[in-house]
Amino acid sequence: MYFMHHFSSRVVIMTADNDLEIKEAFQRAQKSHSNKAKLAASLKSRYNKLEDKTPFHEEFIHYLKYAMIIYKREPAVEHIIDFVTKFAVSFEATGGEGQEEEEEEEQEDDHPFLSFLFTFLLESHNANSHAVRFRVCQLINKLLGSMSENAQIDDDLFDQIHETMLIRVTDKFPNIRIQAALAMARLQEPQNPDCPTMKAYMLILENDSNPEVRRAVLSCIAPSVISLPKILKRTRDVKERVRKLAYEVLAEKVHMRALTIAQRVSLLQQGLHDPSEVVKDVVKSKLLPAWLRLVDGKVLDLLHKLDVENFTEITSEVLHALFSRVGSLEELQQEGLSLDERKLIPVEALTCENVLYWRALCEFVKEKGDQGEEILEQLIPEAVIFAEYLYGYLKSIPMLGQDQMADDQQLDMVLSKEFIGKQLILLVGCLDTAEEGGRKRVLAVLQEMLVLPNTPISLISLLVERLMNMLKDDDRRIQVIAEIISEVREPIVHVSEPIDENENRRIRVKLAEGKVQIMEAKQALEDAISAQDFGRAAELKDRISELEGAQAQLVAEAAQPSNREKEVRVEKSSLSDSTSTWAQSVLNGENSFTESDPETLLKCLTMFVEVMKQMNIKKSISPAINALIESLVLPSIANPNTAVRNVAVTCLGTCALHSKDFANRHLVLLLQISQLDEPKVRINAVRALIDQLLLNGLDIVGQSTKAPDDSDADAASPAGEVESEDGQSTVQSILTMLADFLDSEDTELRTEVAEGLAKLMYCGRISSPKLLSRLLLLWYNPVTEDDTKLRHCLGVFLQLYARESRAHQDRIEESFLPTIRTLIQAPATSPLAEVDSANVAELLIELTRPSILNRPVKDAALQGLSAHDSLAVRLCDEILRDPKAPEVRLYTKCLSCLELSAEDGPHRSDLLLLLKEVQEEVKNKVCLRVLEKMTSRLKCESKKNPTLPDTTLQALDENTGDVDDLNTKRPRRGGRTKPAAGKARKGSKARESSEESDEENIPDTPVVQRPSRRGKAAPADKTKQDLSTLLDQEANGS
């Protein structure tokens, strides 16, 4: 329905035809099929014929007002707005470059209608009706947007529009703010740091709560040095549509050179890992192609601008994204690579960019399976050829001395070669090793490269990983690595052995004797010829030849060097000694060298830890591994080099995962390292301890692997009690140490411990309200505000932990009062004094709501009660302790926010009695009103729900002795958990870290029949212990 039937007949001083023309123009403009440009031209012709234009202005505005009072985006109203815009813009002043000021002044007088319309709109912007304010901003936006690029308006009018729109961008209606922001698009000065429009735009991008307003500003803000950081920040907006538009703006309006390498990589990393498929598609379909066009479609040039050496992972993902958009695999073969006839890149042509492109392309084609098999054969040679190519390149990587390391140019060259070598090693995974000859050669090359002294330590892990992938048997893996480590630590070298003087004398004597024998034989030959005894002469001639041959052999032996070489296996550090005393001591069987150089130890330890990582975790420690631990790992723990000790601790922790007995024997050593060593080594030791607790629980100490016989149970009881006490003491020391680390000044150590304790609590290995309270306080502590990883980790943990099970909510409920007391009692000098205790209480209440649980409570003893019911009793007791305390008001507010169970029963009656007692003691009027409302609400619910047989409490009474066992029940790990959406939020930073974090995927476990509570109490204690008693001493001390 059109709104023009509301137009009243208005008597104005003009002809009837003119009156009809304006009204008819507005009526026809409402229809979608009408030609608004023709209507505007016709009306303009009528306007130009008028001498007195004032009546026309008034009548035009009169009809326009009918459209301006309608807020809803009706099609008829939108058509009217478009018509008014076209008609008004037809009067705009279009000045050229050569126009003079007089001509411009004349033009200003030529369009009184446009000035009149702007004046009317600016006077109406402050109307009470939000519809009028919206239409004013919309019209100004359309008028300014429809003007030509060289359009001119009066300076005073410009300033008035500017000031008006700056006011309207703060309007409480989002649609008005959107139109006002769009209207200011042509008023901004991007290069002016004091431009009020740019400041308003950046303020809106940063603070406006409506995503559509942020999108509107993103669409019209001009990128500049000032605004670019704000645009980049919107790529991390909480709303998908804002992030999508931000990437589109960057692709269309921002040149790649305006961004630093770090900004480019960050954009790609966030975009390709965005949780929204729409955003990912925009990055792949718009941003990457736009950047590729800027480098003329050359992928290698694009990689060069992304710094592949430092950002290998993200550049590989970029290449995969580009490959995925190519129509066919055959097209990939024609781009980027220049392979020779051997299907290899010539060594002199290898660069970081083309080798990464080669590797990514081969991996992408291999992922296609049989479809890409033919293409892969054209991209990579046979295994034997590639093995020789790899061996030759890795041998060419030079070793730098200390002086050469100071030369940045040489260091960059070596690092580039190492990067290329790493990519070539990764290419081994794309080779076809089904043929036995090629497989053996690749294995031989990998082993030879591990033995070579100039192989960089950074490549050892990759070489071992590829070697382990080709060796499937764990025993064979261990044997090969043990042989390589032995050869690296004790290489075979040639040692000179001096010849004895008696041997020299013997050779000289033989030479003299041979010379005499030859002379005698020649004399006898002459006599036999003179006597014509030719038979004797022939024999003598043969004798002379034999003697001369023996003489020549002796001469050659005497001509050899005075020293002989002998192959001897020595420890590598001994090779640096150059004295003859060292050689003599080796030959005599003496070995006074007990230490190896750090480079060799790092190489050997890295090989050992990699093979342990590749082994099945159920594989026990074999004698070969044990020998390596005794000869390599344990001595390296005491090495003066920090890097060697760090890798040795990693080896120790990895071995402990394969054997519980080994872990028990070296647990004290790990504890000592975690307290006494360098920060980096301590963090590694803490990781090893937490891994042990996650794998074996808190029973890793004080338990023997062999259970005693029943007949010996009585005899073994005292020893078992002593062993149990020692185990409890060790557990207490471990947890006390970890709790102390939460107060460490070392940020990395504190974060690692907090993350480890969160994992232990979530997996059910420990259950301690006091530790949970410590983690909560650490999360809120202002000291950790800059520790993004810690805040993110704890924020995700608290949400997942509360949703996982009712037992977890009980632990949070038990930690409620200790946490609030700590905050209230914090001294003024403590950072905790700045924390809002009401906000903490609100969060804890949200985390303990029964409605957020992922799975309903199945235990009959817990179905009638919730964590909030228990918390209500605790809060009432706390209020009764000191009814006049200032925190009573907080506690009563918390009581009113609780989600109490709807079932009637003894617990409801007890709570009502407690509330009545609290009302008698509390004198604060505000608190009394809250308590009265809560009491009346509970009574009303009791009347609505008639009393039912209390089966829940009967079941609880039957198992009175087992109630405490509920705290030791390990929560069942279920499927994927959802992030909490509680109302309590800690702040903008905590909120963003919680909402934007990736959830941890927890594998589903098969549902099994639940045993009785009495039957499962004993095995549950083995994997989860209530540590409240163990931490009492530590908590009281803190």
Side-chain angles (χ1 to χ4, degrees):
M1 177 182 293
Y2 301 117
F3 64 87
M4 288 298 277
H5 69 275
H6 294 294
F7 285 175
S8 60
S9 59
R10 187 181 180 200
V11 180
V12 294
I13 307 175
M14 59 190 308
T15 64
D17 291 340
N18 288 343
D19 186 17
L20 181 63
E21 183 69 24
I22 297 176
K23 183 176 181 179
E24 183 180 355
F26 271 86
Q27 288 176 335
R28 291 171 58 186
Q30 297 177 72
K31 301 176 182 179
S32 58
H33 61 271
S34 61
N35 190 334
K36 297 177 181 58
K38 187 175 181 180
L39 285 175
S42 177
L43 195 60
K44 181 180 179 182
S45 176
R46 176 74 62 179
Y47 177 83
N48 290 334
K49 295 177 182 179
L50 296 175
E51 295 182 1
D52 185 8
K53 298 182 172 51
T54 302
F56 184 93
H57 293 169
E58 293 179 356
E59 180 136 357
F60 192 92
I61 295 300
H62 169 73
Y63 290 126
L64 177 60
K65 288 180 180 179
Y66 287 102
M68 293 180 63
I69 61 175
I70 299 176
Y71 182 71
K72 190 176 180 181
R73 304 293 291 265
E74 293 285 353
V77 181
E78 298 303 317
H79 295 325
I80 289 291
I81 299 296
D82 291 339
F83 164 70
V84 172
T85 302
K86 287 184 180 295
F87 178 69
V89 169
S90 64
F91 295 99
E92 73 166 295
T94 56
E97 295 181 359
Q99 287 180 326
E100 299 178 355
E101 294 181 1
E102 296 179 358
E103 295 176 349
E104 292 178 358
E105 292 176 0
E106 291 177 359
Q107 288 174 349
E108 288 178 6
D109 297 334
D110 288 340
H111 50 81
F113 178 81
L114 188 58
S115 300
F116 176 79
L117 182 59
F118 269 122
T119 303
F120 165 74
L121 293 175
L122 294 175
E123 290 175 351
S124 306
H125 86 93
N126 207 20
N128 291 332
S129 171
H130 62 278
V132 174
R133 299 199 304 272
F134 170 69
R135 295 301 176 182
V136 166
C137 294
Q138 184 187 24
L139 272 169
I140 293 177
N141 172 33
K142 286 183 174 293
L143 287 171
L144 294 177
S146 300
M147 290 182 177
S148 60
E149 292 184 3
N150 57 346
Q152 301 175 4
I153 60 175
D154 183 68
D155 291 341
D156 294 335
L157 180 59
F158 178 91
D159 294 336
Q160 290 177 13
I161 295 174
H162 208 171
E163 293 172 3
T164 301
M165 293 300 101
L166 287 174
I167 296 173
R168 292 277 66 83
V169 290
T170 61
D171 199 285
K172 66 178 181 179
F173 284 87
N175 281 339
I176 299 175
R177 299 202 299 273
I178 290 173
Q179 294 299 325
L182 294 174
M184 290 195 300
R186 298 189 66 174
L187 308 180
Q188 57 185 322
E189 301 176 62
Q191 305 304 326
N192 182 7
D194 298 324
C195 175
T197 300
M198 296 298 294
K199 290 182 178 180
Y201 276 171
M202 291 188 287
L203 189 65
I204 292 172
L205 286 178
E206 194 76 20
N207 300 314
D208 201 292
S209 59
N210 189 282
E212 294 304 318
V213 179
R214 300 198 297 273
R215 288 185 73 246
V217 173
L218 269 178
S219 66
C220 60
I221 189 172
S224 65
V225 178
I226 304 170
S227 62
L228 185 57
K230 303 298 182 183
I231 298 175
L232 291 174
K233 193 171 183 180
R234 287 309 100 204
T235 60
R236 302 186 296 276
D237 197 280
V238 294
K239 294 298 181 180
E240 169 190 307
R241 297 183 64 189
V242 180
R243 298 198 302 274
K244 174 177 176 289
L245 182 60
Y247 279 106
E248 291 174 347
V249 169
L250 289 169
E252 297 169 3
K253 299 181 180 180
V254 180
H255 197 285
M256 185 168 48
R257 285 182 297 186
L259 303 169
T260 64
I261 291 178
Q263 288 173 335
R264 298 170 197 163
V265 173
S266 177
L267 276 176
L268 293 173
Q269 188 169 18
Q270 293 165 10
L272 293 175
H273 294 150
D274 196 278
S276 169
E277 291 297 329
V278 176
V279 178
K280 289 181 184 178
D281 187 64
V282 168
V283 175
K284 294 177 182 178
S285 62
K286 294 188 177 181
L287 184 64
L288 283 176
W291 286 2
L292 199 57
R293 285 193 298 270
L294 294 175
V295 292
D296 300 326
K298 298 177 181 178
V299 181
L300 298 183
D301 290 348
L302 177 61
L303 294 179
H304 182 71
K305 295 183 180 299
L306 297 178
D307 190 5
V308 297
E309 292 184 60
N310 295 320
F311 305 103
T312 308
E313 184 177 352
I314 187 60
T315 48
S316 299
E317 294 178 10
V318 168
L319 287 173
H320 278 255
L322 293 174
F323 296 154
S324 62
R325 299 189 62 82
V326 176
S328 62
L329 294 177
E330 287 75 11
E331 295 181 22
L332 292 174
Q333 196 177 352
Q334 304 172 2
E335 299 181 2
L337 276 181
S338 299
L339 303 178
D340 57 17
E341 65 279 356
R342 298 176 302 164
K343 303 173 188 175
L344 295 170
I345 299 177
V347 174
E348 62 275 5
L350 279 172
T351 63
C352 297
E353 289 78 22
N354 63 15
V355 73
L356 177 66
Y357 183 91
W358 189 20
R359 193 260 296 178
L361 181 58
C362 291
E363 289 178 349
F364 179 79
V365 174
K366 188 175 182 180
E367 289 174 359
K368 299 298 180 180
D370 297 338
Q371 182 183 356
E373 187 174 350
E374 294 183 3
I375 305 298
L376 186 61
E377 290 178 358
Q378 302 174 20
L379 293 175
I380 197 166
E382 296 179 357
V384 175
I385 298 175
F386 187 82
E388 298 300 332
Y389 177 75
L390 174 64
Y391 183 72
Y393 186 83
L394 294 184
K395 280 184 66 177
S396 68
I397 299 178
M399 296 180 64
L400 297 181
Q402 293 295 332
D403 296 338
Q404 295 172 318
M405 292 287 286
D407 188 348
D408 292 340
Q409 187 174 0
Q410 290 193 24
L411 183 61
D412 290 342
M413 183 266 294
V414 172
L415 291 176
S416 297
K417 282 185 170 290
E418 288 184 13
F419 176 82
I420 295 172
K422 186 180 296 185
Q423 303 308 310
L424 293 177
I425 294 170
L426 289 172
L427 266 171
V428 173
C430 299
L431 295 175
D432 182 9
T433 55
E435 194 267 323
E436 189 63 24
R439 178 183 176 83
K440 286 184 177 179
R441 184 54 190 155
V442 172
L443 284 172
V445 166
L446 292 176
Q447 294 179 53
E448 289 175 20
M449 291 312 307
L450 288 171
V451 175
L452 279 179
N454 65 325
T455 303
I457 295 177
S458 60
L459 302 182
I460 296 298
S461 298
L462 272 178
L463 288 168
V464 174
E465 182 184 345
R466 292 303 172 195
L467 183 61
M468 295 301 101
N469 289 340
M470 301 184 71
L471 299 172
K472 303 301 181 182
D473 183 61
D474 284 343
D475 293 330
R476 174 64 178 156
R477 290 173 172 178
I478 296 167
Q479 178 185 353
V480 170
I481 292 299
E483 292 174 356
I484 294 173
I485 290 176
S486 175
E487 191 168 350
V488 169
R489 293 198 72 193
E490 299 177 357
I492 297 175
V493 296
H494 296 279
V495 180
S496 298
E497 181 179 7
I499 300 177
D500 190 56
E501 287 296 329
N502 294 329
E503 184 69 16
N504 289 333
R505 191 179 300 109
R506 182 184 64 80
I507 292 175
R508 289 196 297 271
V509 170
K510 282 188 176 183
L511 283 172
E513 290 178 353
K515 188 174 182 180
V516 172
Q517 290 176 0
I518 290 173
M519 292 176 64
E520 290 177 350
K522 287 182 177 180
Q523 184 63 39
L525 177 61
E526 291 177 0
D527 295 341
I529 292 173
S530 300
Q532 296 185 353
D533 187 357
F534 297 107
R536 173 67 176 165
E539 293 177 0
L540 289 172
K541 190 174 182 180
D542 293 339
R543 172 66 176 166
I544 290 171
S545 299
E546 291 177 1
L547 290 173
E548 287 178 347
Q551 187 76 351
Q553 185 176 358
L554 287 173
V555 171
E557 187 176 348
Q560 288 181 353
S562 59
N563 294 336
R564 296 179 181 178
E565 289 188 349
K566 177 180 179 181
E567 287 187 351
V568 181
R569 185 178 292 276
V570 298
E571 202 169 346
K572 187 174 180 181
S573 63
S574 304
L575 298 178
S576 59
D577 299 330
S578 58
T579 61
S580 59
T581 307
W582 166 79
Q584 189 64 40
S585 66
V586 172
L587 294 171
N588 294 338
E590 301 173 4
N591 188 7
S592 59
F593 305 96
T594 58
E595 294 182 358
S596 294
D597 58 294
E599 291 78 10
T600 303
L601 283 177
L602 276 175
K603 183 181 289 189
C604 295
L605 289 169
T606 304
M607 286 189 277
F608 180 78
V609 75
E610 285 299 324
V611 74
M612 293 303 295
K613 288 179 181 178
Q614 296 290 332
M615 280 176 51
N616 190 338
I617 197 169
K618 296 180 180 179
K619 175 77 174 176
S620 59
I621 295 180
S622 63
I625 296 177
N626 199 42
L628 286 172
I629 293 173
E630 296 295 333
S631 63
L632 176 65
V633 177
L634 293 179
S636 299
I637 294 290
N639 194 283
N641 188 282
T642 304
V644 173
R645 292 201 309 276
N646 194 33
V647 183
V649 169
T650 304
C651 294
L652 194 66
T654 310
C655 293
L657 297 176
H658 290 266
S659 172
K660 192 173 181 180
D661 290 338
F662 182 89
N664 287 337
R665 291 199 305 270
H666 298 91
L667 185 63
V668 177
L669 177 59
L670 287 174
L671 286 171
Q672 292 175 347
I673 295 172
S674 62
Q675 298 178 77
L676 303 176
D677 215 313
E678 297 288 333
K680 184 167 64 173
V681 185
R682 292 173 64 193
I683 292 172
N684 227 349
V686 167
R687 266 195 211 110
L689 285 171
I690 291 173
D691 287 344
Q692 274 303 308
L693 295 174
L694 284 170
L695 181 65
N696 298 315
L698 298 180
D699 58 341
I700 56 173
V701 290
Q703 284 193 358
S704 175
T705 55
K706 295 182 180 179
D709 297 335
D710 293 341
S711 58
D712 299 335
D714 296 335
S717 178
E721 291 178 2
V722 174
E723 190 173 337
S724 176
E725 291 178 1
D726 293 342
Q728 291 290 333
S729 176
T730 306
V731 169
Q732 183 176 3
S733 63
I734 292 174
L735 294 173
T736 303
M737 180 194 72
L738 293 177
D740 290 341
F741 285 161
L742 292 177
D743 298 326
S744 173
E745 294 181 358
D746 191 323
T747 304
E748 294 183 9
L749 178 62
R750 182 180 61 204
T751 302
E752 193 67 37
V753 172
E755 183 179 356
L757 290 174
K759 290 178 181 178
L760 289 170
M761 297 186 76
Y762 182 78
C763 294
R765 289 305 189 186
I766 60 176
S767 175
S768 170
K770 290 184 174 60
L771 267 182
L772 186 59
S773 176
R774 291 287 300 275
L775 293 178
L776 275 165
L777 294 172
L778 185 64
W779 190 46
Y780 272 97
N781 199 322
V783 175
T784 65
E785 186 175 359
D786 296 330
D787 194 345
T788 308
K789 182 180 178 182
L790 175 67
R791 290 285 182 98
H792 174 77
C793 172
L794 292 181
V796 174
F797 159 70
L798 289 172
Q799 304 285 4
L800 296 178
Y801 183 77
R803 288 174 171 266
E804 180 65 18
S805 73
R806 164 64 193 280
H808 290 177
Q809 286 194 337
D810 289 341
R811 300 292 85 76
I812 297 175
E813 179 260 322
E814 292 171 16
S815 68
F816 183 94
L817 286 177
T819 304
I820 300 300
R821 286 190 197 126
T822 304
L823 293 174
I824 292 174
Q825 298 171 4
T829 55
S830 172
L832 293 177
E834 303 175 16
V835 179
D836 183 6
S837 56
N839 183 268
V840 179
E842 187 179 355
L843 172 67
L844 292 175
I845 290 173
E846 292 297 326
L847 292 177
T848 50
R849 287 195 183 279
S851 56
I852 71 168
L853 284 173
N854 290 329
R855 295 183 298 274
V857 179
K858 296 182 179 180
D859 199 320
L862 296 176
Q863 285 182 352
L865 297 172
S866 67
H868 277 193
D869 292 322
S870 303
L871 182 58
V873 175
R874 288 180 186 271
L875 290 173
C876 290
D877 290 339
E878 187 68 17
I879 293 172
L880 290 173
R881 285 180 56 186
D882 188 1
K884 297 181 180 180
E887 57 268 20
V888 169
R889 191 164 184 171
L890 172 62
Y891 294 148
T892 53
K893 181 182 177 182
C894 293
L895 280 172
S896 65
C897 298
L898 296 180
E899 185 180 321
L900 301 175
S901 58
E903 296 183 9
D904 196 7
H907 64 278
R908 177 65 65 89
S909 303
D910 294 341
L911 182 57
L912 286 171
L913 290 175
L914 269 175
L915 288 172
K916 183 178 180 181
E917 187 176 351
V918 169
Q919 291 177 33
E920 294 174 355
E921 297 293 334
V922 173
K923 304 303 180 184
N924 187 286
K925 293 182 180 181
V926 177
C927 298
L928 283 174
R929 281 198 299 270
V930 173
L931 293 170
E932 288 171 0
K933 288 181 181 179
M934 183 177 180
T935 304
S936 61
R937 177 166 58 88
L938 290 175
K939 289 180 179 179
C940 291
E941 291 176 357
S942 299
K943 291 178 182 179
K944 292 179 182 178
N945 299 322
T947 305
L948 299 174
D950 194 9
T951 55
T952 300
L953 292 180
Q954 288 176 3
L956 183 62
D957 292 338
E958 291 175 3
N959 298 281
T960 303
D962 292 336
V963 172
D964 292 338
D965 293 341
L966 296 174
N967 293 336
T968 62
K969 180 180 68 173
R970 180 174 178 176
R972 180 167 62 88
R973 297 181 69 183
R976 183 181 179 94
T977 56
K978 300 178 181 178
K983 297 179 182 178
R985 289 295 180 265
K986 181 168 165 286
S988 61
K989 293 187 178 180
R991 178 168 62 249
E992 287 184 8
S993 64
S994 297
E995 290 178 356
E996 296 177 3
S997 62
D998 294 333
E999 303 161 7
E1000 181 180 359
N1001 293 327
I1002 304 172
D1004 292 333
T1005 55
V1007 179
V1008 296
Q1009 185 176 1
R1010 294 167 61 94
S1012 65
R1013 291 165 56 209
R1014 292 181 183 273
K1016 72 179 182 181
D1021 283 337
K1022 293 182 180 179
T1023 58
K1024 179 178 179 180
Q1025 300 179 13
D1026 191 344
L1027 305 178
S1028 299
T1029 55
L1030 296 179
L1031 291 173
D1032 279 341
Q1033 180 179 357
E1034 181 272 327
N1036 293 334
S1038 63

